[in-house]
PDB file of all heavy atoms in Angstrom:
ATOM      1  N   ALA A  84      28.229 -35.472 -44.369  1.00  0.00           N
ATOM      2  CA  ALA A  84      27.134 -36.145 -45.074  1.00  0.00           C
ATOM      3  C   ALA A  84      27.176 -37.653 -44.856  1.00  0.00           C
ATOM      4  O   ALA A  84      26.167 -38.339 -45.064  1.00  0.00           O
ATOM      5  CB  ALA A  84      27.207 -35.832 -46.569  1.00  0.00           C
ATOM      6  N   ARG A  85      28.323 -38.182 -44.426  1.00  0.00           N
ATOM      7  CA  ARG A  85      28.444 -39.628 -44.208  1.00  0.00           C
ATOM      8  C   ARG A  85      27.933 -40.057 -42.833  1.00  0.00           C
ATOM      9  O   ARG A  85      27.755 -41.245 -42.586  1.00  0.00           O
ATOM     10  CB  ARG A  85      29.910 -40.055 -44.356  1.00  0.00           C
ATOM     11  CG  ARG A  85      30.490 -39.817 -45.743  1.00  0.00           C
ATOM     12  CD  ARG A  85      31.909 -40.328 -45.824  1.00  0.00           C
ATOM     13  NE  ARG A  85      32.773 -39.669 -44.837  1.00  0.00           N
ATOM     14  CZ  ARG A  85      33.975 -40.120 -44.489  1.00  0.00           C
ATOM     15  NH1 ARG A  85      34.440 -41.236 -45.023  1.00  0.00           N
ATOM     16  NH2 ARG A  85      34.704 -39.457 -43.603  1.00  0.00           N
ATOM     17  N   ASP A  86      27.709 -39.097 -41.935  1.00  0.00           N
ATOM     18  CA  ASP A  86      27.262 -39.410 -40.571  1.00  0.00           C
ATOM     19  C   ASP A  86      25.759 -39.223 -40.455  1.00  0.00           C
ATOM     20  O   ASP A  86      25.202 -38.222 -40.945  1.00  0.00           O
ATOM     21  CB  ASP A  86      27.971 -38.505 -39.563  1.00  0.00           C
ATOM     22  CG  ASP A  86      29.477 -38.722 -39.568  1.00  0.00           C
ATOM     23  OD1 ASP A  86      29.904 -39.838 -39.274  1.00  0.00           O
ATOM     24  OD2 ASP A  86      30.208 -37.767 -39.898  1.00  0.00           O
ATOM     25  N   ALA A  87      25.110 -40.163 -39.800  1.00  0.00           N
ATOM     26  CA  ALA A  87      23.663 -40.098 -39.579  1.00  0.00           C
ATOM     27  C   ALA A  87      23.366 -40.336 -38.108  1.00  0.00           C
ATOM     28  O   ALA A  87      23.992 -41.180 -37.463  1.00  0.00           O
ATOM     29  CB  ALA A  87      22.936 -41.126 -40.437  1.00  0.00           C
ATOM     30  N   MET A  88      22.414 -39.562 -37.598  1.00  0.00           N
ATOM     31  CA  MET A  88      21.973 -39.724 -36.211  1.00  0.00           C
ATOM     32  C   MET A  88      20.557 -40.276 -36.211  1.00  0.00           C
ATOM     33  O   MET A  88      19.683 -39.746 -36.905  1.00  0.00           O
ATOM     34  CB  MET A  88      22.026 -38.395 -35.455  1.00  0.00           C
ATOM     35  CG  MET A  88      21.569 -38.494 -34.000  1.00  0.00           C
ATOM     36  SD  MET A  88      21.696 -36.920 -33.127  1.00  0.00           S
ATOM     37  CE  MET A  88      23.480 -36.737 -33.022  1.00  0.00           C
ATOM     38  N   ILE A  89      20.322 -41.327 -35.451  1.00  0.00           N
ATOM     39  CA  ILE A  89      19.022 -41.991 -35.385  1.00  0.00           C
ATOM     40  C   ILE A  89      18.488 -41.869 -33.963  1.00  0.00           C
ATOM     41  O   ILE A  89      19.181 -42.202 -33.006  1.00  0.00           O
ATOM     42  CB  ILE A  89      19.144 -43.473 -35.779  1.00  0.00           C
ATOM     43  CG1 ILE A  89      19.745 -43.616 -37.187  1.00  0.00           C
ATOM     44  CG2 ILE A  89      17.798 -44.170 -35.697  1.00  0.00           C
ATOM     45  CD1 ILE A  89      20.092 -45.036 -37.557  1.00  0.00           C
ATOM     46  N   ARG A  90      17.260 -41.382 -33.842  1.00  0.00           N
ATOM     47  CA  ARG A  90      16.609 -41.283 -32.539  1.00  0.00           C
ATOM     48  C   ARG A  90      15.403 -42.197 -32.528  1.00  0.00           C
ATOM     49  O   ARG A  90      14.522 -42.084 -33.379  1.00  0.00           O
ATOM     50  CB  ARG A  90      16.173 -39.838 -32.257  1.00  0.00           C
ATOM     51  CG  ARG A  90      17.326 -38.855 -32.127  1.00  0.00           C
ATOM     52  CD  ARG A  90      16.788 -37.469 -31.785  1.00  0.00           C
ATOM     53  NE  ARG A  90      17.838 -36.511 -31.547  1.00  0.00           N
ATOM     54  CZ  ARG A  90      18.359 -35.715 -32.483  1.00  0.00           C
ATOM     55  NH1 ARG A  90      17.914 -35.807 -33.738  1.00  0.00           N
ATOM     56  NH2 ARG A  90      19.307 -34.855 -32.198  1.00  0.00           N
ATOM     57  N   LEU A  91      15.352 -43.097 -31.561  1.00  0.00           N
ATOM     58  CA  LEU A  91      14.286 -44.088 -31.475  1.00  0.00           C
ATOM     59  C   LEU A  91      13.630 -44.034 -30.108  1.00  0.00           C
ATOM     60  O   LEU A  91      14.311 -43.852 -29.095  1.00  0.00           O
ATOM     61  CB  LEU A  91      14.838 -45.498 -31.718  1.00  0.00           C
ATOM     62  CG  LEU A  91      15.553 -45.728 -33.064  1.00  0.00           C
ATOM     63  CD1 LEU A  91      16.220 -47.084 -33.074  1.00  0.00           C
ATOM     64  CD2 LEU A  91      14.570 -45.597 -34.205  1.00  0.00           C
ATOM     65  N   PRO A  92      12.314 -44.194 -30.034  1.00  0.00           N
ATOM     66  CA  PRO A  92      11.628 -44.185 -28.728  1.00  0.00           C
ATOM     67  C   PRO A  92      11.946 -45.439 -27.926  1.00  0.00           C
ATOM     68  O   PRO A  92      12.463 -46.428 -28.459  1.00  0.00           O
ATOM     69  CB  PRO A  92      10.147 -44.131 -29.118  1.00  0.00           C
ATOM     70  CG  PRO A  92      10.102 -44.755 -30.474  1.00  0.00           C
ATOM     71  CD  PRO A  92      11.377 -44.364 -31.160  1.00  0.00           C
ATOM     72  N   ILE A  93      11.605 -45.399 -26.649  1.00  0.00           N
ATOM     73  CA  ILE A  93      11.824 -46.551 -25.773  1.00  0.00           C
ATOM     74  C   ILE A  93      10.854 -47.660 -26.154  1.00  0.00           C
ATOM     75  O   ILE A  93       9.640 -47.455 -26.195  1.00  0.00           O
ATOM     76  CB  ILE A  93      11.625 -46.157 -24.301  1.00  0.00           C
ATOM     77  CG1 ILE A  93      12.622 -45.063 -23.905  1.00  0.00           C
ATOM     78  CG2 ILE A  93      11.778 -47.358 -23.393  1.00  0.00           C
ATOM     79  CD1 ILE A  93      12.402 -44.521 -22.512  1.00  0.00           C
TER      80      ILE A  93
END
Side-chain angles (χ1 to χ4, degrees):
R85 298 183 301 165
D86 298 299
M88 180 178 291
I89 303 171
R90 295 183 176 92
L91 302 171
I93 299 174

